[in-house]
Amino acid sequence: MSDHKPRFHEIWTSRWTFILAATGSAVGLGNIWKFPYIAGENGGGAFVLIYLVCIALVGIPVMIAEVLMGRWGRSSPIHTMYKLTDECGAPRAWHGIGWMGVIAGIIILSYYSVIAGWAIAYILKMASGAFVGISGEGSEAIFADLLSSPMTLVFWHSVFMLMTLMVVALGVTRGLGRLVQVLMPLLLVLLVIMMGFSIRYGDFGAAVDYLFSFHTDDLTVQGVMEAMGHAFFTLSLGMGAIMAYGAYMPERAPVGRTVLTIGILDTIVALLAGLAIFPIVFASSAIEASSGPGLLFVSLPIAIGNMPAGVLVGTLFFLLVTFAAWSSSISLVEPAIAWLTETGRGTRLQGAILFGLTCWILGLGTVFSFNYWESARLFGKFNFFEFADFLTASIMLPLGGLLMAIFVGRFMARKRIEDEVQISRGPVFSIWYWILRWISPLAIGIIFAIGIARVFGWY
Ligand code: PHE
């Protein structure tokens, strides 16, 4: 069955290696840092509900589509799209999916690396005992101090970029894949421990109520758009990362079940992070739920600083956050690197240097968003970081996902898809296929159109 497919890249050694690598890509800052703060900015419950619905009705179906496109094409997203458009007789404009993904990955990595740099800085702060017995105000002051020092931020941003490029230059299976097998379960355990402490130390009831009851007051059109965008962001969808990993997936592995496992794991990590962070937010008068990107870095250290063995737990926690970010960041450049090596124009190392430098320079914009350029506004509302985030997470990823859903749902032969997906031929396949053809594109399209119109003030 597989002989007609050129095997340019190594194939993962087993279905589990794919699950772990894709989970490594999915679980990252999106779950631990971003989900809690955007939930907080958008008023909690209603946002969380929309996010969960988007994961189920859009994220998981599109993820199945993206994996199977990758496995079908067996090359970088750009070349996979070339191959698929040819094979399916689709117009060449569909090549755009691959190119847009590469660009989105580079922009995302540019700010992702800056935030991951904060996490690295926090490993040392934790280890030094700076948070022992800390108050809410004290924790805020430490974070504000970090943000006000662009040189420190640039330094840690550079460290993280170097870490990422090192693994990327070394290659996929030899790289982080193995490490992630050990670290991801550890991260999960640590989050459970933190949540346990938050239950004792913080206001767990208020957190549960905030995250799971339906308050619509603070939810805006842009919030709905952010919730959908986040479903893509957190599952690493719509830009080719999952397509690139899908290209390395073994032939006979069932795509449907595998994707479902990843989606569930990813959601559990995000909810655990929320349940560890919000009890502290509600127990401390110094922190607002809506305080923005600093939420994780201000709130958790308060609990950590006041728990037994806090220095150890805190150090380990930010170490694991860094690793989670690391296994995500490599997937952000993988589409670009895979493309470059396939064209024969450069080696993985050269690609790593080229794309790494681009991300590093772009990342300076995010660094300065928190100090020098704090009050500069693009389109009258975004600072540089917010704009990069909005452009990628709220626009490029959902657009990529929309196009993938349409491509698989409308241009690929159903019979071929059935063979590829192996969700068993029964009703499960039909339900997925129907959701992919109708529900996912419609949901993305509607939220997208209304969101863009509202953000740019067109109505
Ligand atoms: N899913 C990653 C996270 O949640 C981020 C990411 C987005 C990675 C897109 C790859 C592609 O942190």
Side-chain angles (χ1 to χ4, degrees):
M1 187 176 159
S2 65
D3 292 339
H4 64 284
K5 292 177 182 170
R7 287 206 169 160
F8 190 88
H9 298 283
E10 314 164 70
I11 304 279
W12 299 106
T13 42
S14 74
R15 168 168 169 256
W16 269 99
T17 331
F18 171 79
I19 294 195
L20 286 165
T23 312
S25 167
V27 176
L29 295 175
N31 309 61
I32 303 163
W33 158 74
K34 193 174 182 193
F35 169 72
Y37 97 73
I38 57 176
E41 282 180 338
N42 289 290
F47 176 90
V48 174
L49 184 72
I50 292 170
Y51 156 77
L52 291 175
V53 171
C54 284
I55 292 278
L57 289 185
V58 179
I60 288 178
V62 171
M63 195 170 185
I64 294 176
E66 188 169 338
V67 172
L68 89 89
M69 288 166 97
R71 196 165 67 165
W72 193 327
R74 284 269 184 251
S75 27
S76 71
I78 288 180
H79 288 126
T80 288
M81 284 320 299
Y82 285 3
K83 219 180 284 184
L84 295 188
T85 35
D86 268 3
E87 259 184 58
C88 304
R92 294 186 33 190
W94 289 94
H95 293 176
I97 295 183
W99 289 105
M100 186 174 70
V102 165
I103 297 168
I106 289 171
I107 304 176
I108 295 176
L109 183 54
S110 78
Y111 65 83
Y112 205 83
S113 167
V114 175
I115 312 295
W118 299 355
I120 308 180
Y122 264 61
I123 300 174
L124 300 184
K125 286 189 199 298
M126 280 291 162
S128 75
F131 289 98
V132 175
I134 197 101
S135 66
E137 288 77 11
S139 179
E140 268 191 339
I142 292 178
F143 184 66
D145 193 45
L146 175 69
L147 290 194
S148 65
S149 163
M151 281 310 125
T152 315
L153 299 183
V154 170
F155 176 75
W156 293 118
H157 164 49
S158 314
V159 169
F160 187 78
M161 277 311 305
L162 280 175
M163 285 163 58
T164 303
L165 301 180
M166 210 177 67
V167 175
V168 167
L170 287 176
V172 179
T173 42
R174 266 185 303 155
L176 212 54
R178 303 243 166 80
L179 208 57
V180 168
Q181 301 185 8
V182 188
L183 295 176
M184 287 294 121
L186 198 59
L187 178 69
L188 212 61
V189 171
L190 213 66
L191 272 176
V192 173
I193 295 177
M194 308 270 254
M195 187 184 68
F197 188 78
S198 286
I199 293 177
R200 274 193 42 209
Y201 177 81
D203 191 343
F204 193 66
V208 171
D209 179 55
Y210 183 73
L211 288 173
F212 299 110
S213 53
F214 200 80
H215 326 267
T216 40
D217 325 352
D218 296 320
L219 195 66
T220 57
V221 171
Q222 192 177 338
V224 175
M225 201 177 173
E226 259 185 65
M228 177 181 71
H230 189 65
F232 283 96
F233 186 90
T234 191
L235 293 176
S236 305
L237 286 184
M239 51 71 65
I242 289 299
M243 204 189 284
Y245 280 9
Y248 314 140
M249 190 185 190
E251 206 68 46
R252 305 228 52 90
V255 178
R257 231 185 320 142
T258 309
V259 165
L260 200 61
T261 314
I262 298 167
I264 291 172
L265 275 174
D266 186 78
T267 308
I268 290 177
V269 175
L271 294 178
L272 275 179
L275 288 174
I277 289 174
F278 280 105
I280 302 156
V281 171
F282 292 117
S284 160
S285 55
I287 318 168
E288 294 287 327
S290 60
S291 58
L295 190 66
L296 166 74
F297 295 90
V298 175
S299 73
L300 266 193
I302 304 173
I304 293 169
N306 288 289
M307 71 201 268
V311 172
L312 185 70
V313 174
T315 309
L316 196 60
F317 177 74
F318 281 100
L319 197 66
L320 290 175
V321 171
T322 304
F323 274 107
W326 199 6
S327 61
S328 301
S329 65
I330 55 172
S331 70
L332 283 163
V333 266
E334 184 57 25
I337 304 278
W339 165 75
L340 188 77
T341 53
E342 282 167 2
T343 60
R345 280 187 223 155
T347 59
R348 289 192 74 92
L349 178 65
Q350 288 166 329
I353 295 173
L354 174 72
F355 297 118
L357 213 57
T358 315
C359 291
W360 185 82
I361 293 171
L362 262 182
L364 297 180
T366 292
V367 166
F368 299 149
S369 303
F370 296 100
N371 33 69
Y372 299 146
W373 298 349
E374 209 177 353
S375 45
R377 286 287 172 272
L378 290 153
F379 298 103
K381 64 191 317 170
F382 304 107
N383 66 28
F384 186 95
F385 156 69
E386 287 161 351
F387 183 69
D389 176 38
F390 176 77
L391 179 67
T392 49
S394 292
I395 296 187
M396 294 173 95
L397 300 186
L399 190 60
L402 173 67
L403 294 176
M404 288 176 195
I406 296 177
F407 190 86
V408 173
R410 304 285 160 178
F411 288 96
M412 287 182 153
R414 176 169 177 153
K415 181 76 192 54
R416 261 310 282 281
I417 302 173
E418 277 179 1
D419 291 343
E420 282 284 343
V421 188
Q422 299 173 18
I423 308 186
S424 80
R425 225 138 290 213
V428 181
F429 178 86
S430 302
I431 293 171
W432 165 74
Y433 194 55
W434 186 80
I435 293 180
L436 186 79
R437 281 168 61 92
W438 296 103
I439 304 293
S440 319
L442 268 177
I444 305 172
I446 292 171
I447 295 180
F448 206 56
I450 299 178
I452 301 252
R454 175 52 67 86
V455 169
F456 292 104
W458 294 333
Y459 85 97

